[in-house]
Every structure is written in structure tokens, then in C-alpha cells.
Amino acid sequence: MRKLVLTLATMASLTASVITADDVNTMVSIFQEKQYKKIDIAAVPKETLENIKKNYGNYTIKEAYKADDGEYKLVLTRDGVDLTATFTSSGDLIKIVN
């Protein structure tokens, strides 16, 4: 009887450690999208606007948004076609979405 109890206790501890090992190896990733707040176009710094104008002068800025980290999302328009472009705080292009 003593051997049976010892064997059951050993099996139970092995099972518990296997479950614990699996739980520890599980990884959860969470991605949080940046939040942009609408701002007046005049609130975009002059240097940033000049850099954007230099590279995208044929476009008119229709709307402006700013993230907490200083990135800008601008809705640009030309010939009735809008596109959304994301820029760094200095006006360097990050990405364009049609």
C-alpha cells in the first residue's frame, strides 16, 4: 500500500510539473494601435509642413491628426482623390494608404 501511495504521489507531481511547464511556455502578444487626435492644419509645425510640401507639393492637406509620440497622419487630396499619409514629426514619410 505504501508503494502505491508513493507511486500515485510521484505521478501526480510529474503531471503537475508538465502542466506548469506548458503554461510557462505559452506566450501572449498584445498589439495596441496608435491613437491619433484631430488637430487644425495650422497646428502642424512649419518645418514639418515645409518638408511635406517639398515632397508632396501637388497635394492639398485636407485634415490633420497627431499621435502622442509626435507622428502626424494627414489626409491629402489632389484631383478629387484622397490618400492618407503618416509622417514623422520632422515630415519624413512613414507610409501612405489609399
mmCIF file of all heavy atoms in Angstrom, residues 27-54:
data_model
loop_
_atom_site.group_PDB
_atom_site.id
_atom_site.type_symbol
_atom_site.label_atom_id
_atom_site.label_comp_id
_atom_site.label_asym_id
_atom_site.label_seq_id
_atom_site.Cartn_x
_atom_site.Cartn_y
_atom_site.Cartn_z
ATOM 1 N N MET A 27 3.001 32.054 -24.837
ATOM 2 C CA MET A 27 3.297 33.480 -24.965
ATOM 3 C C MET A 27 2.075 34.201 -25.523
ATOM 4 O O MET A 27 1.440 33.710 -26.445
ATOM 5 C CB MET A 27 4.471 33.690 -25.919
ATOM 6 C CG MET A 27 4.845 35.145 -26.082
ATOM 7 S SD MET A 27 5.912 35.437 -27.462
ATOM 8 C CE MET A 27 7.492 35.221 -26.737
ATOM 9 N N VAL A 28 1.771 35.331 -24.960
ATOM 10 C CA VAL A 28 0.646 36.134 -25.419
ATOM 11 C C VAL A 28 1.191 37.467 -25.909
ATOM 12 O O VAL A 28 1.945 38.141 -25.220
ATOM 13 C CB VAL A 28 -0.370 36.365 -24.275
ATOM 14 C CG1 VAL A 28 -1.494 37.270 -24.745
ATOM 15 C CG2 VAL A 28 -0.907 35.050 -23.770
ATOM 16 N N SER A 29 0.827 37.841 -27.141
ATOM 17 C CA SER A 29 1.239 39.130 -27.700
ATOM 18 C C SER A 29 0.025 40.040 -27.803
ATOM 19 O O SER A 29 -1.033 39.623 -28.248
ATOM 20 C CB SER A 29 1.839 38.942 -29.091
ATOM 21 O OG SER A 29 3.004 38.166 -29.007
ATOM 22 N N ILE A 30 0.213 41.282 -27.407
ATOM 23 C CA ILE A 30 -0.857 42.273 -27.499
ATOM 24 C C ILE A 30 -0.332 43.443 -28.316
ATOM 25 O O ILE A 30 0.742 43.964 -28.048
ATOM 26 C CB ILE A 30 -1.294 42.759 -26.105
ATOM 27 C CG1 ILE A 30 -1.822 41.584 -25.286
ATOM 28 C CG2 ILE A 30 -2.327 43.863 -26.226
ATOM 29 C CD1 ILE A 30 -2.128 41.942 -23.852
ATOM 30 N N PHE A 31 -1.083 43.850 -29.331
ATOM 31 C CA PHE A 31 -0.704 44.974 -30.174
ATOM 32 C C PHE A 31 -1.724 46.077 -29.977
ATOM 33 O O PHE A 31 -2.922 45.863 -30.104
ATOM 34 C CB PHE A 31 -0.667 44.541 -31.645
ATOM 35 C CG PHE A 31 -0.371 45.664 -32.584
ATOM 36 C CD1 PHE A 31 0.906 46.181 -32.697
ATOM 37 C CD2 PHE A 31 -1.367 46.232 -33.343
ATOM 38 C CE1 PHE A 31 1.184 47.230 -33.558
ATOM 39 C CE2 PHE A 31 -1.105 47.278 -34.208
ATOM 40 C CZ PHE A 31 0.178 47.762 -34.314
ATOM 41 N N GLN A 32 -1.235 47.249 -29.676
ATOM 42 C CA GLN A 32 -2.119 48.391 -29.486
ATOM 43 C C GLN A 32 -1.844 49.408 -30.578
ATOM 44 O O GLN A 32 -0.722 49.866 -30.749
ATOM 45 C CB GLN A 32 -1.905 49.024 -28.120
ATOM 46 C CG GLN A 32 -2.870 50.145 -27.842
ATOM 47 C CD GLN A 32 -2.713 50.682 -26.434
ATOM 48 O OE1 GLN A 32 -1.905 50.202 -25.661
ATOM 49 N NE2 GLN A 32 -3.500 51.679 -26.103
ATOM 50 N N GLU A 33 -2.865 49.745 -31.336
ATOM 51 C CA GLU A 33 -2.726 50.708 -32.421
ATOM 52 C C GLU A 33 -2.628 52.118 -31.836
ATOM 53 O O GLU A 33 -3.241 52.436 -30.838
ATOM 54 C CB GLU A 33 -3.942 50.613 -33.338
ATOM 55 C CG GLU A 33 -3.800 51.428 -34.586
ATOM 56 C CD GLU A 33 -4.951 51.209 -35.550
ATOM 57 O OE1 GLU A 33 -5.527 50.125 -35.567
ATOM 58 O OE2 GLU A 33 -5.268 52.151 -36.282
ATOM 59 N N LYS A 34 -1.830 52.944 -32.513
ATOM 60 C CA LYS A 34 -1.683 54.336 -32.069
ATOM 61 C C LYS A 34 -3.005 55.065 -32.197
ATOM 62 O O LYS A 34 -3.775 54.833 -33.115
ATOM 63 C CB LYS A 34 -0.658 55.064 -32.933
ATOM 64 C CG LYS A 34 0.737 54.701 -32.633
ATOM 65 C CD LYS A 34 1.668 55.578 -33.446
ATOM 66 C CE LYS A 34 3.074 55.096 -33.234
ATOM 67 N NZ LYS A 34 4.035 55.932 -33.926
ATOM 68 N N GLN A 35 -3.197 55.974 -31.280
ATOM 69 C CA GLN A 35 -4.388 56.807 -31.306
ATOM 70 C C GLN A 35 -3.993 58.196 -31.808
ATOM 71 O O GLN A 35 -3.061 58.796 -31.294
ATOM 72 C CB GLN A 35 -4.994 56.914 -29.906
ATOM 73 C CG GLN A 35 -5.445 55.582 -29.349
ATOM 74 C CD GLN A 35 -6.596 54.989 -30.122
ATOM 75 O OE1 GLN A 35 -7.555 55.678 -30.457
ATOM 76 N NE2 GLN A 35 -6.503 53.707 -30.418
ATOM 77 N N TYR A 36 -4.692 58.674 -32.825
ATOM 78 C CA TYR A 36 -4.447 60.000 -33.386
ATOM 79 C C TYR A 36 -5.624 60.907 -33.035
ATOM 80 O O TYR A 36 -6.775 60.488 -33.109
ATOM 81 C CB TYR A 36 -4.309 59.918 -34.912
ATOM 82 C CG TYR A 36 -3.055 59.221 -35.369
ATOM 83 C CD1 TYR A 36 -3.010 57.841 -35.513
ATOM 84 C CD2 TYR A 36 -1.905 59.941 -35.664
ATOM 85 C CE1 TYR A 36 -1.858 57.201 -35.939
ATOM 86 C CE2 TYR A 36 -0.751 59.314 -36.095
ATOM 87 C CZ TYR A 36 -0.733 57.946 -36.232
ATOM 88 O OH TYR A 36 0.412 57.310 -36.656
ATOM 89 N N LYS A 37 -5.302 62.142 -32.676
ATOM 90 C CA LYS A 37 -6.335 63.133 -32.370
ATOM 91 C C LYS A 37 -6.344 64.176 -33.470
ATOM 92 O O LYS A 37 -5.299 64.632 -33.926
ATOM 93 C CB LYS A 37 -6.050 63.804 -31.028
ATOM 94 C CG LYS A 37 -6.118 62.857 -29.872
ATOM 95 C CD LYS A 37 -5.765 63.544 -28.589
ATOM 96 C CE LYS A 37 -5.723 62.506 -27.471
ATOM 97 N NZ LYS A 37 -5.182 63.054 -26.246
ATOM 98 N N LYS A 38 -7.559 64.566 -33.894
ATOM 99 C CA LYS A 38 -7.688 65.570 -34.946
ATOM 100 C C LYS A 38 -7.185 66.920 -34.440
ATOM 101 O O LYS A 38 -7.481 67.308 -33.314
ATOM 102 C CB LYS A 38 -9.137 65.690 -35.407
ATOM 103 C CG LYS A 38 -9.298 66.524 -36.647
ATOM 104 C CD LYS A 38 -10.682 66.404 -37.238
ATOM 105 C CE LYS A 38 -10.721 67.176 -38.536
ATOM 106 N NZ LYS A 38 -11.975 66.990 -39.226
ATOM 107 N N ILE A 39 -6.410 67.592 -35.286
ATOM 108 C CA ILE A 39 -5.879 68.912 -34.954
ATOM 109 C C ILE A 39 -6.107 69.839 -36.139
ATOM 110 O O ILE A 39 -6.407 69.396 -37.250
ATOM 111 C CB ILE A 39 -4.366 68.858 -34.618
ATOM 112 C CG1 ILE A 39 -3.565 68.332 -35.817
ATOM 113 C CG2 ILE A 39 -4.111 68.024 -33.376
ATOM 114 C CD1 ILE A 39 -2.055 68.448 -35.664
ATOM 115 N N ASP A 40 -5.962 71.132 -35.898
ATOM 116 C CA ASP A 40 -6.011 72.096 -37.000
ATOM 117 C C ASP A 40 -4.751 71.938 -37.838
ATOM 118 O O ASP A 40 -3.670 71.669 -37.295
ATOM 119 C CB ASP A 40 -6.079 73.527 -36.484
ATOM 120 C CG ASP A 40 -7.423 73.863 -35.866
ATOM 121 O OD1 ASP A 40 -8.426 73.262 -36.262
ATOM 122 O OD2 ASP A 40 -7.439 74.745 -34.992
ATOM 123 N N ILE A 41 -4.873 72.140 -39.129
ATOM 124 C CA ILE A 41 -3.711 72.056 -40.014
ATOM 125 C C ILE A 41 -2.653 73.063 -39.581
ATOM 126 O O ILE A 41 -1.459 72.791 -39.640
ATOM 127 C CB ILE A 41 -4.139 72.260 -41.482
ATOM 128 C CG1 ILE A 41 -5.087 71.131 -41.904
ATOM 129 C CG2 ILE A 41 -2.925 72.325 -42.402
ATOM 130 C CD1 ILE A 41 -5.799 71.345 -43.213
ATOM 131 N N ALA A 42 -3.082 74.217 -39.088
ATOM 132 C CA ALA A 42 -2.149 75.255 -38.629
ATOM 133 C C ALA A 42 -1.329 74.800 -37.424
ATOM 134 O O ALA A 42 -0.290 75.389 -37.124
ATOM 135 C CB ALA A 42 -2.913 76.527 -38.291
ATOM 136 N N ALA A 43 -1.768 73.743 -36.719
ATOM 137 C CA ALA A 43 -1.039 73.245 -35.553
ATOM 138 C C ALA A 43 0.150 72.361 -35.931
ATOM 139 O O ALA A 43 0.978 72.054 -35.082
ATOM 140 C CB ALA A 43 -1.982 72.478 -34.642
ATOM 141 N N VAL A 44 0.227 71.978 -37.202
ATOM 142 C CA VAL A 44 1.379 71.190 -37.665
ATOM 143 C C VAL A 44 2.556 72.166 -37.783
ATOM 144 O O VAL A 44 2.423 73.230 -38.393
ATOM 145 C CB VAL A 44 1.084 70.524 -39.029
ATOM 146 C CG1 VAL A 44 2.293 69.731 -39.513
ATOM 147 C CG2 VAL A 44 -0.151 69.630 -38.938
ATOM 148 N N PRO A 45 3.717 71.830 -37.201
ATOM 149 C CA PRO A 45 4.849 72.758 -37.228
ATOM 150 C C PRO A 45 5.256 73.162 -38.647
ATOM 151 O O PRO A 45 5.167 72.369 -39.584
ATOM 152 C CB PRO A 45 5.976 71.970 -36.557
ATOM 153 C CG PRO A 45 5.293 70.965 -35.716
ATOM 154 C CD PRO A 45 4.028 70.625 -36.442
ATOM 155 N N LYS A 46 5.690 74.410 -38.779
ATOM 156 C CA LYS A 46 6.052 74.977 -40.085
ATOM 157 C C LYS A 46 7.122 74.134 -40.781
ATOM 158 O O LYS A 46 7.017 73.859 -41.974
ATOM 159 C CB LYS A 46 6.547 76.412 -39.889
ATOM 160 C CG LYS A 46 6.901 77.122 -41.170
ATOM 161 C CD LYS A 46 7.380 78.537 -40.890
ATOM 162 C CE LYS A 46 7.827 79.201 -42.180
ATOM 163 N NZ LYS A 46 8.393 80.528 -41.927
ATOM 164 N N GLU A 47 8.142 73.699 -40.044
ATOM 165 C CA GLU A 47 9.223 72.888 -40.620
ATOM 166 C C GLU A 47 8.687 71.569 -41.186
ATOM 167 O O GLU A 47 9.075 71.131 -42.263
ATOM 168 C CB GLU A 47 10.274 72.594 -39.553
ATOM 169 C CG GLU A 47 11.396 71.697 -40.029
ATOM 170 C CD GLU A 47 12.351 71.355 -38.903
ATOM 171 O OE1 GLU A 47 12.967 72.279 -38.343
ATOM 172 O OE2 GLU A 47 12.462 70.160 -38.580
ATOM 173 N N THR A 48 7.776 70.959 -40.460
ATOM 174 C CA THR A 48 7.167 69.705 -40.922
ATOM 175 C C THR A 48 6.373 69.943 -42.200
ATOM 176 O O THR A 48 6.501 69.189 -43.171
ATOM 177 C CB THR A 48 6.251 69.130 -39.824
ATOM 178 O OG1 THR A 48 7.009 68.963 -38.631
ATOM 179 C CG2 THR A 48 5.660 67.799 -40.234
ATOM 180 N N LEU A 49 5.557 70.997 -42.215
ATOM 181 C CA LEU A 49 4.771 71.316 -43.410
ATOM 182 C C LEU A 49 5.664 71.615 -44.608
ATOM 183 O O LEU A 49 5.362 71.201 -45.734
ATOM 184 C CB LEU A 49 3.840 72.498 -43.135
ATOM 185 C CG LEU A 49 2.631 72.210 -42.252
ATOM 186 C CD1 LEU A 49 1.880 73.500 -41.965
ATOM 187 C CD2 LEU A 49 1.722 71.178 -42.886
ATOM 188 N N GLU A 50 6.778 72.326 -44.389
ATOM 189 C CA GLU A 50 7.692 72.647 -45.491
ATOM 190 C C GLU A 50 8.301 71.381 -46.082
ATOM 191 O O GLU A 50 8.406 71.248 -47.302
ATOM 192 C CB GLU A 50 8.790 73.592 -45.019
ATOM 193 C CG GLU A 50 8.307 75.010 -44.786
ATOM 194 C CD GLU A 50 9.365 75.915 -44.157
ATOM 195 O OE1 GLU A 50 10.471 75.427 -43.840
ATOM 196 O OE2 GLU A 50 9.070 77.108 -43.972
ATOM 197 N N ASN A 51 8.691 70.449 -45.238
ATOM 198 C CA ASN A 51 9.263 69.198 -45.714
ATOM 199 C C ASN A 51 8.231 68.382 -46.489
ATOM 200 O O ASN A 51 8.528 67.806 -47.534
ATOM 201 C CB ASN A 51 9.820 68.383 -44.540
ATOM 202 C CG ASN A 51 10.801 67.324 -44.985
ATOM 203 O OD1 ASN A 51 11.216 67.276 -46.134
ATOM 204 N ND2 ASN A 51 11.189 66.475 -44.059
ATOM 205 N N ILE A 52 7.000 68.343 -45.994
ATOM 206 C CA ILE A 52 5.925 67.632 -46.691
ATOM 207 C C ILE A 52 5.627 68.317 -48.019
ATOM 208 O O ILE A 52 5.486 67.666 -49.055
ATOM 209 C CB ILE A 52 4.663 67.558 -45.804
ATOM 210 C CG1 ILE A 52 4.946 66.674 -44.586
ATOM 211 C CG2 ILE A 52 3.466 67.044 -46.589
ATOM 212 C CD1 ILE A 52 3.893 66.749 -43.502
ATOM 213 N N LYS A 53 5.540 69.636 -48.008
ATOM 214 C CA LYS A 53 5.247 70.410 -49.223
ATOM 215 C C LYS A 53 6.336 70.193 -50.282
ATOM 216 O O LYS A 53 6.041 70.091 -51.467
ATOM 217 C CB LYS A 53 5.148 71.896 -48.854
ATOM 218 C CG LYS A 53 4.514 72.744 -49.906
ATOM 219 C CD LYS A 53 3.033 72.747 -49.691
ATOM 220 C CE LYS A 53 2.416 73.891 -50.430
ATOM 221 N NZ LYS A 53 1.034 73.614 -50.742
ATOM 222 N N LYS A 54 7.594 70.109 -49.836
ATOM 223 C CA LYS A 54 8.708 69.901 -50.754
ATOM 224 C C LYS A 54 8.554 68.575 -51.517
ATOM 225 O O LYS A 54 8.810 68.505 -52.715
ATOM 226 C CB LYS A 54 10.027 69.906 -49.971
ATOM 227 C CG LYS A 54 11.266 69.708 -50.821
ATOM 228 C CD LYS A 54 12.531 69.861 -49.992
ATOM 229 C CE LYS A 54 12.625 68.708 -49.021
ATOM 230 N NZ LYS A 54 13.850 68.696 -48.226
#
